Amino acid sequence: MELRRIIISETVEHQIVVLKEVDGERNFPIVIGIFEATSIDRRVKGIQAPRPLTHDLITAVVEQMGGEIQDIVISDLKEHTYFARLRIRKDGELIEVDCRPSDAIAVAVANRVPIYVSEAVLGEALEE
C-alpha cells in the first residue's frame, strides 16, 4: 500500500489518511489523531522537526538496539478499530510490536519502509 492522501482539518478532532494499493485500485481511509497526521504530513513534505518526535524516538531506539524497521502491517479490524504491527528485523529474527496504525504509518513514512494491509482487513474495510 501507499499513502495516497492526508486530510487535516483544524475544525474537527479526527484526521484521515487514505491508503491505496500500489498495483491496484483499492483504497480506504483510516481515521487518526492530529499529532500523527501532522507528523506524517511533515515527513511527506520533508519538514524536519527541531527536536526528535515520538516516531523519530522509536526509530532511534530500534537502531540503537541493533534492529532495523522492516515494514508495517495493518493486521486486524475489530469493531471499527484498526490494529497494526511494527515489524523489526534484529539478528535475523523478525520481531512484531503491536501499535496503532497511525503510529505505524508515521514510522513507515519516516523510514521509507513498506506499508502492508492484510487481505482480510482490506476486504472488510471495503465492505464498510
Side-chain angles (χ1 to χ4, degrees):
M1 301 294 279
E2 65 184 5
L3 179 63
R4 177 53 98 199
R5 292 182 68 192
I6 306 167
I7 302 169
I8 298 175
S9 172
E10 295 176 4
T11 60
V12 295
E13 182 180 328
H14 300 302
Q15 315 308 309
I16 299 172
V17 293
V18 178
L19 297 178
K20 181 190 173 297
E21 285 181 305
V22 172
D23 294 322
E25 296 299 318
R26 297 182 295 180
N27 63 71
F28 68 99
I30 297 178
V31 175
I32 65 174
I34 187 68
F35 174 75
E36 293 81 7
T38 303
S39 180
I40 293 166
D41 188 55
R42 290 175 67 98
R43 288 291 185 177
V44 169
K45 293 177 178 173
I47 300 169
Q48 289 290 342
R51 297 285 299 142
L53 299 175
T54 303
H55 306 107
D56 301 317
L57 174 64
I58 291 167
T59 298
V61 168
V62 168
E63 290 174 353
Q64 289 293 318
M65 296 182 77
E68 177 182 348
I69 297 171
Q70 175 178 297
D71 55 37
I72 66 113
V73 177
I74 299 175
S75 55
D76 208 353
L77 176 59
K78 295 178 185 174
E79 299 178 16
H80 307 291
T81 300
Y82 291 97
F83 293 82
R85 314 279 300 155
L86 180 64
R87 295 170 21 125
I88 302 163
R89 179 75 54 191
K90 183 176 184 318
D91 299 328
E93 181 182 348
L94 183 62
I95 303 164
E96 294 190 354
V97 179
D98 182 36
C99 62
R100 297 181 308 172
S102 56
D103 292 326
I105 293 167
V107 170
V109 169
N111 289 278
R112 295 183 175 97
V113 299
I115 298 170
Y116 296 109
V117 177
S118 78
E119 195 62 43
V121 169
L122 191 53
E124 194 172 336
L126 295 173
E127 290 176 6
E128 292 190 347

